Amino acid sequence: SLVSQAVFNLLIPDHSADAFSPPRPGSPGPWDAPVERLLGGLGRWDAEHFLFIAERGYLLEHSCAFLPLFPLSLRALACLWPPQLQPRSRLLLSAALLNWGLSVLAAAALYALGRAVLRRRREAFLAALLFSLSPAGVFMAAAYSESMFAFLAFSAMWQLEKGQSWLSGLLFSLASGARANGLVNAGFFLYSRSKRFALQLQGGSAPIRKLPLMWRQVLSLAFSAALVCAGISLPFALFQYYAYVRFCGPSTGLDQTVPEPLLQLARDKGYRVAGVDGAKPPWCSQSFPVVYSYIQDTYWNVGFLRYFELRQIPNFLLALPVTFLGSWAAWTYVRTNPRHCLTLGLEKSEEKGKPRDGFCGPAAFVYVVHATALLAFGFSCMHVQVLTRFLGSSSPILYWFSAHLLQEHEPLLRSAGTDSPTSGKPLGKSPSSRGKGTRDNLVVRLLLNWRVITPLSKSLLGFFLGYWLLGLILHCNFFPWT
């Protein structure tokens, strides 16, 4: 992705977009121009906000829509580069290095999570390969928080599957400091505790069914649930308090230290600057002053069905593939497991033998519910074109279900064998990798056999590769994208 965006950024002139573009005082040094030419594509659209926050902090009110963990990480890494570089160049280098590493770690976490939930190593590996070609790939490489959030969220889910509750809670808490939808991840903890309690009640254990002990268990469950939700929400809540002090407190005369070009931009665009004399923002007088929801409502017009306009039809078409894939995943799971879904997975299975594994197994239920909730909220309340990166960085379902479809309906993969022994020659090793203990890249194998794979496989791979490539071409040159 890094090499491709550099090539496209050099070959294609930037579009003149009406996007946030802060002034950059100071003359560039001899190494700043090469850095900008090679990595400038990583700093488009919302990346400008993250880079600005990393350099100057939360100086502008609308910057508070972008949570602090990612820009703080950029600022820390920027200290590693030579001081002769301009701040933007150091931050671009930091973003490229940080997101490259986080993308690799996120793929590894997704693979480990897939092995724990799907219990099919091959399917989990295929899902991790698809993540490396994510339709949201450009946002995993650019100066966005998607890679960081994916790594933290997938790692937290994996640790929870392993029973490491405290480590999982810490990772979920950090994720809520990177993106606001990390708050929803508290649902994984609540479901895990509720399921454990429900199964204990159905286990036939006489002591737990005694009324006093049962009430004690219920109170313990409620207390732990409240504690977990508070812990996961803490970074987000602390940031809202910081914003309140920053923008609702008394004037500090900060405008004396802000460069005049930046103050002029704020006056021209109507941006509110922290510490500058003037009327307090309306959200300061609310009973619960949450700057995040105010900015989404006021600056970006985010709200229920607000995006349902005729002029937004192209953006709905852009979100159509991921909407269809997410809806198909939910429908497939419900149709395969109707009773499991009706009982919310809280009923002890009475089926003999081992439970079903793979995407349609009972362990995937909470992940399907999570992805479906994100999809419904994003489609009805958000700028719908961001659904691709919203789901691609928040939920493993997009990759698990695609891997499931390829594994189940692609003869080239079925004849090559699955996690259970089947006939046919194994596709697991390529001639060059035999004896080295390495795995064959199944996605590459499918692409090399493009003419003979099924239309479904072509559609899935076309979606992943097409959005990955178009994102690099369009986003990195300031053209509208997801």
Side-chain angles (χ1 to χ4, degrees):
S1 294
L2 289 175
V3 175
S4 300
Q5 69 83 27
V7 172
F8 294 134
N9 198 33
L10 289 171
L11 295 179
I12 303 173
D14 285 348
H15 173 63
S16 180
D18 182 21
F20 177 66
S21 181
R24 302 182 184 118
S27 56
W31 292 103
D32 291 303
V35 171
E36 184 66 31
R37 281 197 294 269
L38 291 174
L39 300 178
L42 303 180
R44 308 306 192 211
W45 296 106
D46 285 356
E48 287 278 18
H49 294 279
F50 283 112
L51 296 174
F52 178 80
I53 295 166
E55 181 179 353
R56 297 191 174 276
Y58 287 91
L59 188 63
L60 303 177
E61 181 188 50
H62 70 274
S63 296
C64 293
F66 305 92
L67 300 191
L69 185 58
F70 181 68
L72 284 176
S73 302
L74 291 184
R75 177 179 287 188
L77 277 178
C79 299
L80 301 177
W81 308 104
Q84 292 80 8
L85 290 171
Q86 288 286 318
R88 176 179 170 84
S89 298
R90 297 200 300 269
L91 291 170
L92 283 174
L93 288 167
S94 300
L97 177 64
L98 180 63
N99 278 349
W100 174 80
L102 289 172
S103 295
V104 173
L105 292 174
L110 178 62
Y111 172 62
L113 176 64
R115 288 188 61 182
V117 175
L118 305 177
R119 298 191 300 174
R120 289 183 178 179
R121 180 179 299 184
R122 188 182 187 84
E123 201 165 295
F125 183 65
L126 182 55
L129 290 176
L130 291 172
F131 176 81
S132 67
L133 290 175
S134 172
V138 65
F139 301 101
M140 302 291 181
Y144 278 62
S145 58
E146 266 71 6
S147 286
M148 174 174 284
F149 186 79
F151 163 65
L152 292 171
F154 295 162
S155 298
M157 295 170 190
W158 175 41
Q159 294 300 325
L160 189 60
E161 290 291 339
K162 291 168 57 180
Q164 301 292 330
S165 299
W166 287 106
L167 180 55
S168 176
L170 175 62
L171 292 168
F172 274 138
S173 182
L174 289 173
S176 72
R179 292 186 62 87
N181 60 294
L183 298 172
V184 182
N185 290 331
F188 286 102
F189 256 105
L190 299 179
Y191 180 77
S192 175
R193 299 293 174 87
S194 301
K195 183 176 181 179
R196 185 186 308 171
F197 179 66
L199 293 180
Q200 285 178 346
L201 288 178
Q202 299 170 61
S205 175
I208 198 174
R209 293 193 176 191
K210 292 181 180 179
L211 194 59
L213 185 57
M214 187 176 72
W215 273 110
R216 192 182 307 167
Q217 292 279 345
V218 171
L219 291 175
S220 175
L221 176 66
F223 177 76
S224 64
L227 189 64
V228 164
C229 289
I232 292 176
S233 306
L234 184 61
F236 182 83
L238 287 177
F239 180 67
Q240 303 310 302
Y241 176 74
Y242 165 82
Y244 180 84
V245 173
R246 182 88 163 147
F247 289 92
C248 303
S251 174
T252 60
L254 188 63
D255 56 324
Q256 303 299 323
T257 63
V258 178
E260 179 57 33
L262 187 54
L263 285 175
Q264 187 59 49
L265 175 69
R267 287 191 287 266
D268 294 341
K269 296 289 187 178
Y271 299 150
R272 184 173 281 112
V273 182
V276 176
D277 290 327
K280 289 185 179 181
W283 59 272
C284 292
S285 57
Q286 294 175 352
S287 301
F288 295 96
V290 179
V291 65
Y292 182 83
S293 56
Y294 170 80
I295 292 171
Q296 295 290 346
D297 174 54
T298 305
Y299 285 86
W300 281 286
N301 194 34
V302 171
F304 183 63
L305 301 184
R306 291 188 187 179
Y307 219 56
F308 281 65
E309 301 174 338
L310 288 177
R311 61 192 180 95
Q312 301 298 346
I313 287 178
N315 287 323
F316 276 89
L317 293 176
L318 198 59
L320 184 60
V322 75
T323 303
F324 176 74
L325 197 59
S327 303
W328 189 8
W331 169 248
T332 299
Y333 192 89
V334 172
R335 185 184 59 183
T336 308
N337 305 280
R339 182 176 181 83
H340 190 75
C341 295
L342 285 173
T343 59
L344 302 181
L346 301 179
E347 183 182 55
K348 191 172 183 179
S349 176
E350 297 181 355
E351 296 180 5
K352 295 183 179 180
K354 297 175 64 176
R356 182 189 294 110
D357 57 6
F359 171 78
C360 292
F365 170 75
V366 67
Y367 299 93
V368 174
V369 172
H370 172 250
T372 306
L374 292 181
L375 177 63
F377 176 79
F379 190 83
S380 60
C381 298
M382 296 170 57
H383 292 184
V384 72
Q385 69 268 26
V386 308
L387 264 180
T388 303
R389 61 184 172 98
F390 183 57
L391 283 178
S393 63
S394 304
S395 171
I397 290 298
L398 178 66
Y399 311 105
W400 286 350
F401 184 60
S402 299
H404 165 77
L405 291 176
L406 290 173
Q407 194 74 55
E408 294 295 321
H409 300 286
E410 176 50 59
L412 189 62
L413 295 183
R414 287 209 311 272
S415 64
T418 62
D419 290 327
S420 57
T422 56
S423 61
K425 295 183 179 181
L427 189 64
K429 302 278 184 78
S430 64
S432 61
S433 66
R434 284 189 190 125
K436 299 181 182 179
T438 58
R439 291 179 175 276
D440 185 26
N441 190 318
L442 302 180
V443 173
V444 172
R445 180 64 64 91
L446 291 175
L447 293 175
L448 292 177
N449 291 274
W450 183 265
R451 292 186 177 181
V452 298
I453 62 176
T454 64
L456 176 60
S457 298
K458 290 179 180 178
S459 299
L460 284 170
L461 294 176
F463 166 52
F464 274 75
L465 282 171
Y467 271 55
W468 176 82
L469 184 61
L470 283 173
L472 291 171
I473 295 173
L474 298 177
H475 176 87
C476 294
N477 292 283
F478 257 132
F479 288 96
W481 189 237
T482 64

